[in-house]
Every structure is written in C-alpha cells, then in structure tokens.
C-alpha cells in the first residue's frame, strides 16, 4: 500500500494543494517552503491513528499553529489522502477539523471510502445527539474503525527519520526516558537490540558491507549489551595490529551514524518511509548513490515500500533513474506554498538525458539568492 494522492487545505504552509504521488517521491524547494511540513502531514495521520486527534494537534502547538497563515474565511483544516493497494483497493480518508469556542479540537468531517463506496461519514446521527464524540476521530477508535482497520494500521506503519548522531550517542542527554519510534534516533540502539538476533545479525552484515565503502577500515558491526543493561553498537576496525580495534557508537563519526541509521530504518518497518535531508554529513559520492541503494533494498523486500524524501542535494538528485513524475517541487507564494508543475520543456530535457539536478533543482532555489553576498558587501 502507498499514498497515491494528497490534498491539503489550511495545513501549515499550504492553503490549498493537491497532487498525485508515486512509490518514490523527492520533495524539493527553497528553505521555509514547507518540505518538513508536507512530511508532517503524513506523520500527523500516523499520530492520529496511534495517539488520537487531540494529542496529535497538541503536539504541533494547537489548531492555531497548524492552521495556514494564509487561511481566510474558510479556516477549517483538511488532510485528505488516497491510499492504493495495487490491484486490490483504493482507499480515501478525509479529515476536516478545527477548534470550538473553548479552543478544543473538533472533527468537522471524517469520511472513509473504499473503492468509491462510503464506509464512514461524519458527523452522523450519533454525533448530532452527542457532540462530544466529535472530539475524537473514528480512525483512532478500535470500536469504530473495524471496517477500515487495515487503513488505520497502514497509517500507524509510517516511519519518519531525521537522525541526530548526538541523540544516538547520548539518548539520555536528550530524554531521561526512552522515546519509542523516535525519529531522531534516541531509541535506535534499543530497537536494534530488540530485533530478533538472527534478523538483526543478517541486517548488520549487509549494512557493514555497505558501510565499508564509506569507511574502508570497518570490518564488522555487532550489537552488544554492557553490564549496566545499555545496548551498544560495536564496530571492528582494521589497523596495523593483527587484531581489529573496537569502537562503539560514541566514537563513530556523524556520517557513519547517519548512514547506519538510514540503512537500518530502510530495513526496519513496512509502511511508508519519510526521510528528511538524508544527505547531511555524508560524502557527495555516497549521497549520489543513495537513491540506487534504497531502490535496491526496496526491490529485495517482499512488498515494496513507499519512500518520500525531502532534500536540498544536487548530488542525490543526479541519479538518472529519477523521473519528473517522482519530483514534487514546492514554490512559495503570497497565498501559501503551491506544488509547481513540471513544464513540458523540462520533461523533454530529462528525456534527452539531463537529470533532475540539472533541470528542476535550479528552479527550487530561493528567488534573488544571488543578492545574498551583496547584502554583506
């Protein structure tokens, strides 16, 4: 299953946008155009399904923070997606919410369709009799989502990663308690340790093989537990002595940890994978090959996994396999950020052999960026 369409209204940067989506999506655009906020729309659906609407909205600062600054008379916030299970089903989930006079988040509309047939339409008669019900979505309620639990489980399967090497090295320095499914890597070593040993070791062998290209001295990777009950990732490094030197994650470079976390996350999980600027701390030649590596890993899976990547990297987008239909270019405007269509001339340039980095990336640069140096001249 994968997200095949998204429609947002009054969501953060986006006053009104809609687009189809492929199994692989590269989101580009200038700073503050909404790349992170677009990824967060998918994370929001996961959080609603897992923790409920109120917590999901509160975690983002409340309705007034989520609502687009360009919102006018129609101030309701809409998140609508199509989810396609190829050859089987097309689901549609539509959620419209706002806040009441007491600033409590309220469902204004919730609709679920499967292959065009409506399974849920709210508000319904029960909501009319008991408006307090509209403080919760049916998506988050086991008793209410029986007919579309497959969709709710799909939302819960969404993974997001923006790993911070410092958080991996010192998770307790960022949070005294474990943070399940933490996108910044505070629970990475714990998740790795809790994976069944046979699966974990097989994955680490593959990852160490890939890492040896970036870190030639690396000979192996293994998970270990110290005497205090804290999991660690230990690497063996070849040097002039016969026995390899040992290091754990506290001594790994930022680039090693980020690439390791990226590859582990690509193995771990089944739902859509959201990656934010995976190029950070990595050598350009490694970044250049990331799309091919992720695509190869995906093809080895029993079921393909959708990947949505935000990036500023020309190196990452220089992969010739990336098509114009896989690129979503964000363009700020006075009425909120819009999805800029790919022009026919750009499609022809890509068909002629140029890459997305050559054709579309220059259009994602901030307007007037050439004046930046002059401001300090």
């Amino acid at each position: 299953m994968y997200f095949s369409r998204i429609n947002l209204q009054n969501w953060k940067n986006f006053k009104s946008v809609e687009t189809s989506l492929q199994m692989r999506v590269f989101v580009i655009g200038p700073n503050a155009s909404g790349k992170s906020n677009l990824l967060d729309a998918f994370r929001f659906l996961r959080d609603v399904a897992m923790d409920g609407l109120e917590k999901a909205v509160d975690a983002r600062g409340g309705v007034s923070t989520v609502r687009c600054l360009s919102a006018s008379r129609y101030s309701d916030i809409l998140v609508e997606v199509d989810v396609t299970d190829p050859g089987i089903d097309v689901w549609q989930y539509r959620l419209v919410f706002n806040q009441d006079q007491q600033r409590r988040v309220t469902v204004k509309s919730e609709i679920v369709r499967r292959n065009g047939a409506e399974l849920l339409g709210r508000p319904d008669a029960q909501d009319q009799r008991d408006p307090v019900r509209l403080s919760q979505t049916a998506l988050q309620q086991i008793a209410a989502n029986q007919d579309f639990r497959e969709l709710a489980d799909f939302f819960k399967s969404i993974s997001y990663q923006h790993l911070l090497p410092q958080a991996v090295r010192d998770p307790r320095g960022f949070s005294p308690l474990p943070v399940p499914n933490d996108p910044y890597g505070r629970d990475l070593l714990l998740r790795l340790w809790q994976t069944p040993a046979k699966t974990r070791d097989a994955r680490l062998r593959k990852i160490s093989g890939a890492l040896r290209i970036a870190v030639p001295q690396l000979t192996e990777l293994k998970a270990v537990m110290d005497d205090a009950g804290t999991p660690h990732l230990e690497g063996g490094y070849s040097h002039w002595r016969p026995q390899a030197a040992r290091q754990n994650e506290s001594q790994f470079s930022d680039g090693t940890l980020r690439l390791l976390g990226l590859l582990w996350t690509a193995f771990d999980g089944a739902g859509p994978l959201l990656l934010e600027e995976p190029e950070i701390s990595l050598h350009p030649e490694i970044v250049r090959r990331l799309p091919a590596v992720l695509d190869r890993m995906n093809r080895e899976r029993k079921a393909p996994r959708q990947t949505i990547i935000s990036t500023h990297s020309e190196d990452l987008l220089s992969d010739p396999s990336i098509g114009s239909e896989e690129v979503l270019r964000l363009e700020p405007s006075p009425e909120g950020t819009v999805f800029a269509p790919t022009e026919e001339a750009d499609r022809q340039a890509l068909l002629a052999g140029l890459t997305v980095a050559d054709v579309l990336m220059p259009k994602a640069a901030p307007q007037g960026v050439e004046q930046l140096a002059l401001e300090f001249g």
Side-chain angles (χ1 to χ4, degrees):
M1 297 173 70
Y2 71 100
F3 289 105
S4 52
R5 183 182 68 93
I6 186 167
N7 175 18
L8 300 173
Q9 292 182 23
N10 293 332
W11 173 267
K12 299 191 175 185
N13 296 65
F14 307 98
K15 183 177 180 180
S16 181
V17 294
E18 183 177 4
T19 188
S20 59
L21 300 167
Q22 304 298 316
M23 280 292 292
R24 189 172 65 165
V25 182
F26 298 88
V27 184
I28 63 175
N31 292 107
S33 60
K35 296 184 296 297
S36 296
N37 289 337
L38 177 62
L39 266 59
D40 193 44
F42 300 105
R43 294 177 64 198
F44 174 74
L45 292 173
R46 181 198 64 186
D47 292 350
V48 171
M50 293 184 68
D51 303 320
L53 178 61
E54 183 178 7
K55 285 187 177 180
V57 173
D58 286 349
R60 290 160 175 79
V63 169
S64 58
T65 301
V66 173
R67 184 185 292 118
C68 178
L69 293 176
S70 300
S72 50
R73 294 177 59 186
Y74 178 79
S75 63
D76 291 344
I77 301 164
L78 176 143
V79 179
E80 181 183 72
V81 293
D82 285 358
V83 174
T84 296
D85 193 353
I88 302 175
D89 291 311
V90 177
W91 297 85
Q92 184 183 86
Y93 182 75
R94 176 185 179 93
L95 175 63
V96 181
F97 64 96
N98 210 319
Q99 60 187 6
D100 62 17
Q101 293 182 347
Q102 286 74 44
R103 295 184 177 275
R104 295 173 301 197
V105 62
T106 302
V107 175
K108 304 299 289 289
S109 175
E110 186 180 22
I111 297 172
V112 179
R113 295 187 178 95
R114 182 178 187 177
N115 299 325
E118 187 171 295
L119 303 182
L120 174 77
R122 300 181 68 199
D124 57 20
Q126 294 185 67
D127 297 325
Q128 299 291 348
R129 291 192 297 269
D130 184 9
V132 176
R133 287 166 46 88
L134 292 172
S135 64
Q136 296 184 332
T137 66
L139 184 71
Q140 71 198 69
Q141 302 175 57
I142 295 177
N145 69 19
Q146 183 176 1
D147 291 339
F148 53 95
R149 194 166 297 154
E150 181 180 353
L151 183 64
D153 289 342
F154 171 76
F155 290 159
K156 291 177 183 179
S157 73
I158 296 169
S159 298
Y160 167 77
Q161 190 204 52
H162 190 34
L163 188 143
L164 299 177
Q166 297 87 344
V168 178
R169 297 188 186 102
D170 182 24
R172 292 182 181 176
F174 286 79
S175 174
L177 297 175
V179 180
N181 299 311
D182 178 55
Y184 307 110
R186 284 173 288 188
D187 71 333
L188 175 65
L189 298 181
L190 183 60
R191 284 191 286 119
L192 193 148
W193 178 257
Q194 291 176 340
T195 302
K198 185 176 180 180
T199 300
R200 179 185 67 221
D201 294 343
R203 289 178 181 176
L204 287 178
R205 282 195 296 271
K206 288 188 176 182
I207 290 173
S208 63
L211 283 176
R212 274 195 289 271
I213 299 172
V215 188
Q217 294 79 22
L218 182 70
T219 58
E220 65 170 338
L221 280 173
K222 65 178 182 178
V224 298
M225 181 74 75
D226 66 18
D227 294 338
T230 301
H232 295 281
L233 193 60
E234 189 175 81
Y237 290 83
S238 61
H239 54 30
W240 59 272
R241 292 189 177 92
Q243 299 298 322
R246 316 299 300 183
Q247 291 184 343
N248 67 23
E249 72 282 348
S250 66
Q251 299 163 298
F252 290 178
S253 72
D254 285 2
T256 299
L257 280 176
R258 282 190 62 88
L259 183 56
L260 189 154
L262 172 64
L263 295 175
W264 181 267
T265 305
F267 274 122
D268 199 27
L273 176 59
L274 314 175
L275 298 176
E276 190 151 9
E277 298 180 19
E279 66 269 14
I280 294 175
S281 300
L282 297 180
H283 190 281
E285 289 302 321
I286 300 295
V287 174
R288 195 182 301 273
R289 289 160 176 78
L290 275 182
V293 170
L294 293 173
D295 185 59
R296 180 175 179 179
M297 292 175 68
N298 206 18
R299 283 187 277 111
E300 292 179 357
R301 301 174 64 92
K302 292 181 180 179
R305 184 182 193 186
Q306 187 177 33
T307 307
I308 303 176
I309 301 173
S310 71
T311 182
H312 289 288
S313 173
E314 291 186 3
D315 295 302
L316 189 144
L317 296 171
S318 66
D319 187 312
S321 74
I322 301 174
S324 60
E325 72 282 358
E326 296 179 301
V327 179
L328 190 55
R329 182 166 66 88
L330 309 188
E331 191 173 272
S333 80
E335 290 296 305
T337 294
V338 298
F339 298 153
T342 301
E343 299 175 0
E344 182 58 31
D346 294 335
R347 290 193 183 91
Q348 293 301 320
L350 292 169
L351 289 173
L354 295 179
T355 68
V356 167
D358 300 320
V359 178
L360 298 181
M361 197 59 177
K363 296 187 175 186
Q367 293 188 4
V369 68
E370 66 280 354
Q371 299 297 318
L372 182 60
L374 298 178
E375 294 292 330
F376 297 92

